[in-house]
Amino acid sequence: MSDVFALVLLPHLKVQNANAISGPLTWGFPSPTAFAGFAHALERKFAAELDEGFAGVGIICHHFEPQVFQPPGRRTQVFRLTRNPVGKDGGTLALVEEGRAHMEVSLVIAVRDYKSDGDGKDLAERLHHAAQGMRLAGGSLLHQAGKRYQAQWWPLAGDVEGDARIFRRLRRRLLPGFALVQRDDLLAGHLDEMRATQPDSNALDALLDLSRLNIEPVVSQADEADAPVKWEIRRKPGWLVPLPIGYGGISPLYAPGEVENARDAATPFRFVESLYSLGEWVSPHRLNDLSQLLWTQETDAANGIYRCINRYSESLANFKEQQNG
């Protein structure tokens, strides 16, 4: 990525009670929008010295612990819910269902601004210090001491070979862990397969089919008619997960203050619904370049699209073409 001068690595951030319900259909690891929003809030804190700003954020998960338990006699798990704080009279309040999770993540933030090595290291340390006082996906960051948790400044070489060499070194620092990437190409391919036998299928059908556990009968022409049916779990082409990636508008864009009781009377307002895509957890050593790791924001106000995107699929296709060519 030619417009990126350096990378800031915020390693092994321990987050307590992060939001585990990012959309109306799924629960689990927070949406990429939470991390893009975190990087954007961090960028705004340093707007006075960042003329160009950030070019994206990479998300690597090292540990994820949803706060759930299995009640006696039930097969499904439920969230651990609390009734704090207490009411004004000291009594307990009604339960409000919320999903929480503890996690340990590393964030790779791409910086467009030129900084000397000394200024860059200083900026990375101050970014890390500022991040400690912020919320990440609604959770609290726990302070961790030691070299393992210190922010790192990674200036890029400025050419393709040099950047690739630095990125290979960075990948090793992200292990053990898994990077979150977008696989809308697999979703589109699966939709085409479903429409071959079910012409009325849509993208949501394909997403649900890839997200659930499918146990299917195994049919073999060699089997006799009275042979017992074999059932097997359908294997997926990777560690695939449904992923809320942003919002789509379902109303016109209203002028600031036009909608009553809106939170911000100085910003245009629009009613939206969640946008879903397909994500995949991949080991960092399988990433070939920086563009496969980063998530960026994309806004199309005319069509009501506000989402985060990742270029893993496009870059993977280009990389395969180069290898085959």
Side-chain angles (χ1 to χ4, degrees):
M1 300 181 68
S2 58
D3 61 337
V4 177
F5 174 76
L7 305 174
V8 172
L9 173 60
L10 303 180
H12 298 278
L13 299 173
K14 292 200 172 184
V15 187
Q16 186 180 54
N17 290 331
N19 178 28
I21 305 178
S22 298
L25 299 180
T26 59
W27 69 274
F29 192 79
S31 163
T33 56
F35 299 93
F38 176 81
H40 182 64
L42 201 57
E43 178 186 352
R44 293 186 64 177
K45 286 180 177 288
F46 291 82
E49 55 185 295
L50 292 174
D51 296 329
E52 302 294 332
F54 298 158
V57 58
I59 308 165
I60 299 92
C61 181
H62 305 285
H63 178 73
F64 184 73
E65 181 185 355
Q67 297 303 292
V68 296
F69 78 104
Q70 185 172 355
R74 294 178 60 179
R75 294 185 177 182
T76 56
Q77 294 184 326
V78 299
F79 284 112
R80 297 171 184 164
L81 303 177
T82 61
R83 286 187 173 182
N84 56 338
V86 297
K88 295 180 180 179
D89 58 352
T92 55
L93 299 177
L95 281 173
V96 178
E97 186 173 21
E98 58 179 358
R100 296 174 291 113
H102 304 332
M103 60 183 184
E104 181 176 335
V105 295
S106 290
L107 300 183
V108 178
I109 300 176
V111 181
R112 291 194 178 100
D113 290 81
Y114 168 78
K115 300 287 181 184
S116 65
D117 195 47
D119 290 343
K121 292 179 179 177
D122 178 67
L123 174 65
E125 292 178 2
R126 289 185 291 119
L127 284 172
H128 186 258
H129 180 75
Q132 300 298 311
M134 298 169 57
R135 292 276 187 172
L136 176 54
S140 303
L141 272 69
L142 304 181
H143 175 71
Q144 302 293 323
K147 187 176 180 180
R148 170 186 172 88
Y149 304 100
Q150 292 178 353
Q152 300 173 19
W153 175 256
W154 290 72
L156 298 179
D159 56 84
V160 176
E161 294 183 1
D163 291 352
R165 183 177 64 255
I166 293 172
F167 185 68
R168 286 195 295 270
R169 288 173 48 208
L170 175 64
R171 292 184 310 184
R172 293 197 291 270
R173 299 295 182 91
L174 304 177
L175 295 172
F178 290 90
L180 184 60
V181 299
Q182 188 175 4
R183 296 308 306 269
D184 49 353
D185 58 325
L186 294 181
L187 182 62
H190 190 66
L191 177 58
D192 292 338
E193 292 177 4
M194 291 184 66
R195 282 178 172 171
T197 55
Q198 305 172 52
D200 296 334
S201 301
N202 54 36
L204 180 60
D205 295 327
L207 179 66
L208 294 175
D209 194 59
L210 283 171
S211 304
R212 67 193 176 205
L213 182 67
N214 292 284
I215 302 176
E216 300 173 326
V218 179
V219 179
S220 173
Q221 295 181 352
D223 291 342
E224 298 179 358
D226 57 348
V229 178
K230 298 178 181 178
W231 294 82
E232 292 184 355
I233 297 175
R234 186 201 304 169
R235 302 298 177 187
K236 300 177 183 177
W239 187 356
L240 304 178
V241 289
L243 204 61
I245 58 170
Y247 304 95
I250 55 175
S251 75
L253 187 63
Y254 296 102
E258 186 175 354
V259 177
E260 190 176 357
N261 297 326
R263 180 180 296 178
D264 184 359
T267 304
F269 183 93
R270 166 173 272 165
F271 292 95
V272 298
E273 61 181 0
S274 294
L275 293 177
Y276 276 85
S277 182
L278 190 68
E280 182 180 7
W281 291 106
V282 298
S283 179
H285 79 278
R286 297 187 181 278
L287 302 176
N288 301 311
D289 59 54
L290 180 62
S291 65
Q292 293 183 336
L293 176 64
L294 296 181
W295 287 86
T296 58
Q297 298 104 323
E298 182 180 85
T299 301
D300 182 0
N303 294 312
I305 303 296
Y306 310 89
R307 62 174 180 172
C308 290
I309 58 172
N310 170 262
R311 304 293 184 185
Y312 179 81
S313 300
E314 299 175 19
S315 180
L316 188 64
N318 295 334
F319 183 76
K320 289 181 178 178
E321 288 181 2
Q322 293 174 1
Q323 283 191 325
N324 296 331

